[in-house]
Amino acid sequence: MTNPPTQHRAQKKLRNNMQEGTILAITTVSHPPAGFNKAPRNIALIKLNNGTRVLGCLTTMDSAAIGKTVRPRMQLQRVMETGLRIYDVSYEPVLMKEVKQESLDHVFPGYIIALSGPSGVGKSTVSSLLVRTASEYVERVPIITTRKGMQGDNEEYIHVTNTEFKEMCDRGEVVACTNIPDRNVQRQYGYKAKDIESIWTKGKIPVVVTEEHLLQGLSDHFGRRSLLSFGLLPPGESKRAMLSQLLHRLRKRNRDTKESIEDRIKNAEKDIDCLRERNDLFDHILVNEHLESVIDTLVGHVMNTAKTK
Amino acid sequence: MVSTCTVKLNKLFIMEKAIYIAGTGMTPFGEWWDKSIRELMDEAVEKALESAECNALDIDTIIVANMLAESTSNQAHLGPLAANLLPHAPPALRVESACASGAIAMHTACGLLESGRSETILVIGVEKMTDIAPSDISTALMGAADAEKDAPCGLTFPGIFGLVASSYMNEYGLTREDLSLVSSRHHANAAKNPYAQFRNQVTPENVTNSTKVADPLRMLDCSPISDGAAACILSTKFASSFRLAASQIATDSVSITDRASLTSFPATKDAMSKALKEAEIERDEINHIEIHDCFSIAAVINVEDLGFAEAGKGINAYKKENSSLTINASGGLKACGHPVGATGVKQIIDSVKQLHTSKKQFALTQNFGGACASCAIHIIEQV
């Protein structure tokens, strides 16, 4: 049984393993040794891009094979008797189609910027401003939705019927979808893989506005490492203060009915909780107090990505 | 650092004295719940002394080969434990090199005999593995791999060889059906061996359909967990019809992450080329080989690394029998059982039996530890 000091030394080396690699050999160990979860473990010998070879767990065997590319992600491996929680780098097979190198001369291939946060926090405003400020590098991905169009909607939405939405899902075109119910109707939202991939082929970074399920769906389809995920929060010391700030903003923008605002606030509470509970889905949490500073931060990330490429 | 160089620049040491195998004895391998590690050693030693010209008091040194006694029997300090099985309690020491402990203990004995520090050495290989739970033995055996590079992801030894098998199948197109021929042959051989743990016939279909252990390896691809002891008396003083014509060892990286390839084990090639030079024979003069088939894929790779088949063609040795070269006629590790410390000594005992029966001149044993991080090759000559 690996002891805590051994684990500590191994953890110190983890950073070196946080990079893409290629599977050299692969197996599923049906009976893991004592101290590990009893579920079969998918283990691969991986040649990382820096030339070193490592042994690591695969998050899934779907599309895993010798020669396939994998990307790293941190995953809880086991909880030791002492209560020590051991995280290790796991590798997930890259599912998406690789974008042609020549079409991507200034961005990291397969990168998506995701903006999440409670209703009214300013996701749409931020994404519009980001796209306007860095139009050379980023483009907004249209949201497919079954909800009716309303005043204030811009080109970000593509309105479809419930049947059309279901058909798109059945054909596997929608990679991430969620249902955000109103008190009267079910409202579906989703993103199409084709829309995201077509932005990559233009050499740009797609920007998506998400919540927990959409983010999870995108992460499942393209891999967590392909998301640069930002959580946006309203200013406020406590949840109550944040919600009051949101209520104020929703009333001020004068787009929703009183009932709709109540629904949105209910959903917003869940969204704020999600930012805390699902912190694995977020790379950065930004407080949207000064819009300019949020945009500056985002543009900074975009420019960094463009430079490192 | 990945090792890319398979040519070792080690100096070749040649046997300086004739070392005879003066006596041999072993327990049957199996699940011996009513026998302790001491009792297993005692039984093997008694049989070895019975078969020898010399008597107990002629033994001047004891070497015990063992890997896991601390984990499985709470018993370390096996040297003196074994010494006290003899009336004069001679000097004793223990050698550990994972699954190659047995053969590396034989190699250690050769060094002492050649230097003149000893004249007659009793080498005992012993392992008591069935006293603890399978998951614990699996963890204990992982001690033979790299604790910081291989073990943290939850890999087991079947897992390591599952990776080896997947890599080999991908590179050479070996099929699952072909791989099943290996265990089937070893079981057929063991049917005639009263010391084997499993003497039942197994068809290739049985192997293919057995439970998955570490994809693509199945349960019947894996050597079992066994108890057993084997003892061999080596002497420069008491001549016999069998001598060690070569004893060579080689090493490789412990972690498979430091290997350039998983489809060949350079330590085997290294030890083999040195052993042939030491024995001053050609490969085709060898009539019997006992190879380390801890997993069926290892047997295929070993046949190639020993030079009896080209790379990727090792399975052909199992597709049709070759009367001039027997492979694991004892049943190998798969069917005889694999009490890890005892295996290397047992292989030499079986080779002696095979030469005695066939009246041929040369037999070879290959015993390795971990994923062939340590390897020992012995050539036994009937004189």
CSV table of all heavy atoms in Angstrom, one decimal, chain B residues 191-216:
chain,number,residue,atom,x,y,z
B,191,ALA,N,0.7,-32.3,-16.8
B,191,ALA,CA,-0.1,-33.5,-16.5
B,191,ALA,C,0.8,-34.7,-16.1
B,191,ALA,O,0.4,-35.5,-15.4
B,191,ALA,CB,-1.0,-33.9,-17.8
B,192,LYS,N,2.0,-34.6,-16.6
B,192,LYS,CA,2.9,-35.7,-16.3
B,192,LYS,C,3.9,-35.4,-15.1
B,192,LYS,O,4.7,-36.2,-14.8
B,192,LYS,CB,3.8,-36.0,-17.6
B,192,LYS,CG,3.0,-36.5,-18.8
B,192,LYS,CD,3.8,-36.4,-20.1
B,192,LYS,CE,3.7,-35.1,-20.7
B,192,LYS,NZ,4.3,-34.8,-22.0
B,193,ASN,N,3.7,-34.3,-14.5
B,193,ASN,CA,4.6,-33.8,-13.5
B,193,ASN,C,3.9,-33.9,-12.1
B,193,ASN,O,3.1,-33.1,-11.8
B,193,ASN,CB,5.0,-32.4,-13.8
B,193,ASN,CG,6.0,-31.9,-12.7
B,193,ASN,OD1,6.4,-32.6,-11.8
B,193,ASN,ND2,6.5,-30.7,-12.9
B,194,PRO,N,4.3,-34.9,-11.3
B,194,PRO,CA,3.7,-35.0,-10.0
B,194,PRO,C,3.9,-33.9,-9.0
B,194,PRO,O,3.2,-33.7,-8.0
B,194,PRO,CB,4.3,-36.3,-9.4
B,194,PRO,CG,5.6,-36.5,-10.1
B,194,PRO,CD,5.4,-35.9,-11.5
B,195,TYR,N,4.8,-33.0,-9.3
B,195,TYR,CA,5.1,-31.8,-8.4
B,195,TYR,C,4.3,-30.6,-8.9
B,195,TYR,O,4.4,-29.6,-8.2
B,195,TYR,CB,6.6,-31.5,-8.4
B,195,TYR,CG,7.4,-32.6,-7.8
B,195,TYR,CD1,7.9,-33.7,-8.5
B,195,TYR,CD2,7.7,-32.5,-6.4
B,195,TYR,CE1,8.7,-34.7,-7.8
B,195,TYR,CE2,8.5,-33.5,-5.8
B,195,TYR,CZ,8.9,-34.6,-6.5
B,195,TYR,OH,9.7,-35.5,-5.9
B,196,ALA,N,3.6,-30.7,-10.0
B,196,ALA,CA,2.9,-29.5,-10.5
B,196,ALA,C,1.6,-29.2,-9.7
B,196,ALA,O,0.9,-30.1,-9.2
B,196,ALA,CB,2.5,-29.7,-11.9
B,197,GLN,N,1.3,-27.9,-9.6
B,197,GLN,CA,0.1,-27.5,-8.8
B,197,GLN,C,-1.2,-27.9,-9.6
B,197,GLN,O,-2.2,-28.3,-9.0
B,197,GLN,CB,0.1,-26.0,-8.6
B,197,GLN,CG,-1.0,-25.5,-7.8
B,197,GLN,CD,-0.7,-24.0,-7.3
B,197,GLN,OE1,0.3,-23.4,-7.6
B,197,GLN,NE2,-1.7,-23.4,-6.6
B,198,PHE,N,-1.1,-27.7,-10.9
B,198,PHE,CA,-2.3,-28.0,-11.8
B,198,PHE,C,-1.9,-29.1,-12.8
B,198,PHE,O,-1.1,-28.8,-13.7
B,198,PHE,CB,-2.8,-26.8,-12.5
B,198,PHE,CG,-3.3,-25.7,-11.5
B,198,PHE,CD1,-2.7,-24.5,-11.3
B,198,PHE,CD2,-4.4,-26.0,-10.7
B,198,PHE,CE1,-3.1,-23.6,-10.4
B,198,PHE,CE2,-4.9,-25.0,-9.8
B,198,PHE,CZ,-4.2,-23.8,-9.7
B,199,ARG,N,-2.5,-30.2,-12.7
B,199,ARG,CA,-2.2,-31.3,-13.7
B,199,ARG,C,-3.3,-31.6,-14.7
B,199,ARG,O,-3.3,-32.6,-15.4
B,199,ARG,CB,-1.8,-32.6,-12.9
B,199,ARG,CG,-0.6,-32.3,-12.0
B,199,ARG,CD,-0.2,-33.5,-11.2
B,199,ARG,NE,0.3,-34.6,-12.1
B,199,ARG,CZ,0.5,-35.8,-11.7
B,199,ARG,NH1,0.3,-36.2,-10.4
B,199,ARG,NH2,0.9,-36.7,-12.6
B,200,ASN,N,-4.3,-30.7,-14.7
B,200,ASN,CA,-5.4,-30.8,-15.5
B,200,ASN,C,-5.1,-30.3,-16.9
B,200,ASN,O,-4.4,-29.3,-17.1
B,200,ASN,CB,-6.7,-30.1,-15.0
B,200,ASN,CG,-6.4,-28.7,-14.7
B,200,ASN,OD1,-5.3,-28.3,-14.2
B,200,ASN,ND2,-7.4,-27.8,-15.0
B,201,GLN,N,-5.7,-30.9,-17.9
B,201,GLN,CA,-5.6,-30.4,-19.3
B,201,GLN,C,-6.5,-29.2,-19.4
B,201,GLN,O,-7.6,-29.1,-18.9
B,201,GLN,CB,-6.1,-31.5,-20.3
B,201,GLN,CG,-5.3,-32.8,-20.3
B,201,GLN,CD,-4.1,-32.7,-21.2
B,201,GLN,OE1,-3.8,-31.7,-21.8
B,201,GLN,NE2,-3.4,-33.8,-21.3
B,202,VAL,N,-6.0,-28.2,-20.2
B,202,VAL,CA,-6.8,-27.0,-20.5
B,202,VAL,C,-6.8,-26.8,-22.0
B,202,VAL,O,-5.7,-26.8,-22.6
B,202,VAL,CB,-6.2,-25.8,-19.7
B,202,VAL,CG1,-6.6,-24.5,-20.3
B,202,VAL,CG2,-6.5,-25.9,-18.2
B,203,THR,N,-7.9,-26.6,-22.6
B,203,THR,CA,-7.9,-26.4,-24.0
B,203,THR,C,-7.7,-24.9,-24.3
B,203,THR,O,-8.0,-24.1,-23.4
B,203,THR,CB,-9.3,-26.8,-24.7
B,203,THR,OG1,-10.3,-25.9,-24.1
B,203,THR,CG2,-9.6,-28.2,-24.4
B,204,PRO,N,-7.2,-24.5,-25.5
B,204,PRO,CA,-7.1,-23.1,-25.9
B,204,PRO,C,-8.4,-22.4,-25.7
B,204,PRO,O,-8.4,-21.2,-25.2
B,204,PRO,CB,-6.7,-23.1,-27.3
B,204,PRO,CG,-6.0,-24.4,-27.5
B,204,PRO,CD,-6.7,-25.4,-26.6
B,205,GLU,N,-9.5,-23.0,-25.9
B,205,GLU,CA,-10.8,-22.4,-25.8
B,205,GLU,C,-11.1,-22.1,-24.3
B,205,GLU,O,-11.6,-21.0,-24.0
B,205,GLU,CB,-12.0,-23.3,-26.3
B,205,GLU,CG,-12.0,-23.4,-27.8
B,205,GLU,CD,-10.9,-24.3,-28.3
B,205,GLU,OE1,-10.5,-25.3,-27.6
B,205,GLU,OE2,-10.3,-24.1,-29.4
B,206,ASN,N,-10.7,-23.0,-23.4
B,206,ASN,CA,-10.8,-22.7,-22.0
B,206,ASN,C,-10.1,-21.5,-21.6
B,206,ASN,O,-10.6,-20.7,-20.8
B,206,ASN,CB,-10.2,-23.9,-21.1
B,206,ASN,CG,-11.0,-25.2,-21.3
B,206,ASN,OD1,-10.4,-26.3,-21.2
B,206,ASN,ND2,-12.3,-25.1,-21.5
B,207,VAL,N,-8.9,-21.3,-22.2
B,207,VAL,CA,-8.1,-20.1,-21.8
B,207,VAL,C,-8.8,-18.8,-22.3
B,207,VAL,O,-9.0,-17.9,-21.6
B,207,VAL,CB,-6.6,-20.2,-22.4
B,207,VAL,CG1,-5.8,-19.0,-22.1
B,207,VAL,CG2,-6.0,-21.5,-22.0
B,208,THR,N,-9.2,-18.9,-23.6
B,208,THR,CA,-9.8,-17.7,-24.2
B,208,THR,C,-11.1,-17.3,-23.5
B,208,THR,O,-11.4,-16.1,-23.3
B,208,THR,CB,-10.2,-18.0,-25.7
B,208,THR,OG1,-9.0,-18.5,-26.3
B,208,THR,CG2,-10.7,-16.8,-26.4
B,209,ASN,N,-11.8,-18.3,-22.9
B,209,ASN,CA,-13.1,-18.0,-22.3
B,209,ASN,C,-13.0,-17.8,-20.8
B,209,ASN,O,-14.0,-17.6,-20.1
B,209,ASN,CB,-14.1,-19.1,-22.6
B,209,ASN,CG,-14.4,-19.2,-24.1
B,209,ASN,OD1,-14.3,-18.2,-24.8
B,209,ASN,ND2,-14.6,-20.4,-24.6
B,210,SER,N,-11.8,-17.9,-20.2
B,210,SER,CA,-11.7,-17.8,-18.8
B,210,SER,C,-11.9,-16.3,-18.4
B,210,SER,O,-11.8,-15.4,-19.3
B,210,SER,CB,-10.3,-18.3,-18.3
B,210,SER,OG,-9.3,-17.7,-18.9
B,211,THR,N,-12.0,-16.0,-17.1
B,211,THR,CA,-12.3,-14.7,-16.6
B,211,THR,C,-11.2,-13.7,-17.0
B,211,THR,O,-10.1,-14.0,-16.9
B,211,THR,CB,-12.4,-14.7,-15.1
B,211,THR,OG1,-13.1,-15.9,-14.7
B,211,THR,CG2,-13.0,-13.5,-14.5
B,212,LYS,N,-11.7,-12.5,-17.4
B,212,LYS,CA,-10.7,-11.4,-17.7
B,212,LYS,C,-10.0,-11.0,-16.4
B,212,LYS,O,-10.6,-10.7,-15.4
B,212,LYS,CB,-11.4,-10.2,-18.3
B,212,LYS,CG,-11.4,-10.2,-19.7
B,212,LYS,CD,-11.9,-8.8,-20.2
B,212,LYS,CE,-12.1,-8.9,-21.8
B,212,LYS,NZ,-12.8,-7.7,-22.3
B,213,VAL,N,-8.7,-10.9,-16.5
B,213,VAL,CA,-7.9,-10.4,-15.3
B,213,VAL,C,-7.4,-9.0,-15.6
B,213,VAL,O,-7.5,-8.1,-14.8
B,213,VAL,CB,-6.8,-11.4,-14.9
B,213,VAL,CG1,-5.9,-10.8,-13.9
B,213,VAL,CG2,-7.4,-12.7,-14.4
B,214,ALA,N,-6.7,-8.9,-16.7
B,214,ALA,CA,-6.1,-7.6,-17.1
B,214,ALA,C,-6.1,-7.7,-18.6
B,214,ALA,O,-5.2,-8.2,-19.2
B,214,ALA,CB,-4.8,-7.4,-16.6
B,215,ASP,N,-7.1,-7.1,-19.2
B,215,ASP,CA,-7.3,-7.2,-20.6
B,215,ASP,C,-6.0,-7.0,-21.4
B,215,ASP,O,-5.3,-6.0,-21.1
B,215,ASP,CB,-8.3,-6.1,-21.0
B,215,ASP,CG,-8.9,-6.3,-22.4
B,215,ASP,OD1,-9.2,-7.5,-22.7
B,215,ASP,OD2,-9.0,-5.4,-23.2
B,216,PRO,N,-5.6,-7.8,-22.4
B,216,PRO,CA,-6.3,-8.9,-22.9
B,216,PRO,C,-6.0,-10.2,-22.2
B,216,PRO,O,-6.3,-11.3,-22.7
B,216,PRO,CB,-5.7,-9.0,-24.4
B,216,PRO,CG,-4.3,-8.4,-24.2
B,216,PRO,CD,-4.3,-7.4,-23.1
